[in-house]
Amino acid sequence: MRDLLSVDRDANKIRLLRSTYSGTFVLVEGDSDKTFYNRFVDELACKLIVVSGKPSSKQRVIEVLEILEKSNFQGILAIVDADFDRLETSTFSSPNLLRIDTHDLETMLISSPALNKVIAEFGSEEKITKFNLDVRSVLLETGRSVGYLLWISRCSQLNLTFDGIKFSKLIDEKTLQIDELKLIQELKNKSQAYSLKDEELQQQLKIKKSKNHDPWQVCCGHHLVEILSFGLRGVLGTNKATDVEPNSLERNLRLAYEEIYFFETQLYSDIRTWETNNHPFRVLPNNI
């Protein structure tokens, strides 16, 4: 009941803002999302509103959007992570709800040339060449196992805990390949889910991997950044842990992400389409 009241409160705050602001309201999931999109939106024509809370910020964004749509509120747009939505059939759809091209904001950054810039700054060309590594491909292959297990956990309501995974215990320091059995055991221990069978989870993971889904929709960006951080301390570079800690790497990826990369995304095209269908409301500057 408290969560429902809270969602209504979020919607009412936006209704109150409408009395003094006639532009577009764009709902986003968190402060880092707001910081990122602030670089691209027209601040005079558009206000970014962070909606966060339980059970998840994304769910809250969608619930607030639904409430406002039911009251025929104009000039409202929501931008959320895709997560596993493109791999599932029953997902909420609305012309006022846009999803990022990839699983989440961090994977969108990693899929762009921003990663090349970060590797050039923190990586060792000599080491990467020596081990003949395509960094982006290696990250995706390793992160795919973690992403699939996260998806399995959500679909089967296993409630496995993925926060704070010690990737250094699970990944080969020379190849960055992950030991899937150790990963499963780590997740079970962290989640105190000792009744789950290793073999059953391994079989479910094998089935998922055989489907050859788009890894950009499977992998979670935070996991990829954690794996990158580990690699830049060994096979990909010679950095101290404090120099390439994950939060710092994510900041560097955001800073390395240029406007031209954003213009090439489907999200950019979708925003332009939304503007066309919702005149006179705008999100992006007219000159880009």
Side-chain angles (χ1 to χ4, degrees):
M1 177 65 72
R2 185 176 301 169
D3 283 342
L4 290 175
L5 290 173
S6 187
V7 171
D8 278 325
R9 193 177 299 121
D10 286 338
N12 285 333
K13 284 180 182 177
I14 296 171
R15 290 191 182 104
L16 286 173
L17 287 171
R18 174 57 82 215
S19 63
T20 58
Y21 182 72
S22 60
T24 306
F25 293 103
V26 178
L27 310 180
V28 296
E29 295 185 50
D31 291 328
S32 61
D33 296 59
K34 182 178 180 181
T35 300
F36 177 78
Y37 291 119
N38 255 333
R39 296 170 51 195
F40 308 109
V41 303
D42 184 335
E43 294 184 6
L44 295 178
C46 160
K47 277 189 186 297
L48 293 166
I49 307 292
V50 175
V51 178
S52 59
K54 297 178 180 180
S56 72
S57 296
K58 176 179 176 178
Q59 185 60 36
R60 287 290 287 270
V61 167
I62 292 173
E63 289 173 358
V64 171
L65 176 64
E66 285 187 285
I67 290 171
L68 292 172
E69 285 183 329
K70 285 176 182 176
S71 63
N72 201 30
F73 189 93
Q74 300 297 303
I76 186 74
L77 175 67
I79 301 175
V80 297
D81 290 346
D83 295 323
F84 299 105
D85 291 352
R86 293 191 178 95
L87 307 179
E88 299 172 340
T89 52
S90 57
T91 56
F92 174 76
S93 177
S94 162
N96 299 312
L97 177 68
L98 303 183
R99 291 174 172 84
I100 291 174
D101 293 27
T102 58
H103 188 280
D104 49 36
L105 179 56
E106 289 72 30
T107 44
M108 190 168 84
L109 297 175
I110 291 170
S111 70
S112 78
L115 176 66
N116 303 57
K117 290 182 166 187
V118 170
I119 295 297
E121 180 68 25
F122 295 101
S124 164
E125 184 177 354
E126 181 183 349
K127 284 191 169 189
I128 294 170
T129 303
K130 176 183 177 182
F131 290 99
N132 193 29
L133 295 175
D134 179 328
V135 177
R136 196 175 274 104
S137 297
V138 170
L139 292 177
L140 286 175
E141 182 56 33
T142 302
R144 201 163 65 110
S145 300
V146 191
Y148 273 130
L149 283 169
L150 176 59
W151 191 17
I152 290 166
S153 176
R154 291 186 181 182
C155 290
S156 303
Q157 298 182 327
L158 302 180
N159 297 315
L160 294 175
T161 299
F162 286 76
D163 290 340
I165 296 174
K166 298 293 185 184
F167 283 103
S168 58
K169 297 179 180 178
L170 313 173
I171 295 177
D172 186 294
E173 61 181 16
K174 290 186 178 179
T175 64
L176 292 187
Q177 290 184 339
I178 197 164
D179 186 317
E180 292 178 347
L181 179 57
K182 286 184 178 179
L183 171 61
I184 287 169
Q185 292 169 343
E186 166 88 349
L187 291 171
K188 285 172 54 180
N189 289 334
K190 286 181 65 62
S191 314
Q192 298 184 4
Y194 307 115
S195 61
L196 295 177
K197 303 295 184 184
D198 293 350
E199 298 79 10
E200 291 180 8
L201 286 173
Q202 283 181 301
Q203 182 61 23
Q204 289 185 61
L205 178 56
K206 182 179 179 180
I207 292 171
K208 286 287 190 189
K209 291 181 75 173
S210 71
K211 303 295 184 181
N212 292 317
H213 298 103
D214 179 356
W216 291 114
Q217 304 299 330
V218 175
C219 295
C220 171
H222 292 300
H223 298 153
L224 298 189
V225 173
E226 294 261 6
I227 297 163
L228 177 61
S229 172
F230 174 72
L232 288 171
R233 288 173 264 153
V235 68
L236 303 178
T238 57
N239 301 275
K240 297 177 182 177
T242 53
D243 294 332
V244 290
E245 61 93 18
N247 286 334
S248 176
L249 280 180
E250 288 184 10
R251 266 195 311 274
N252 278 290
L253 283 165
R254 288 195 295 270
L255 290 170
Y257 192 88
E258 299 180 22
E259 281 189 350
I260 188 64
Y261 310 155
F262 184 64
F263 300 158
E264 294 171 352
T265 64
Q266 183 61 46
L267 177 61
Y268 172 81
S269 297
D270 290 343
I271 293 173
R272 284 304 193 197
T273 299
W274 182 90
E275 290 177 326
T276 300
N277 295 334
N278 290 271
H279 184 77
F281 294 103
R282 290 192 299 106
V283 176
L284 304 170
N286 284 326
N287 61 343
I288 64 171

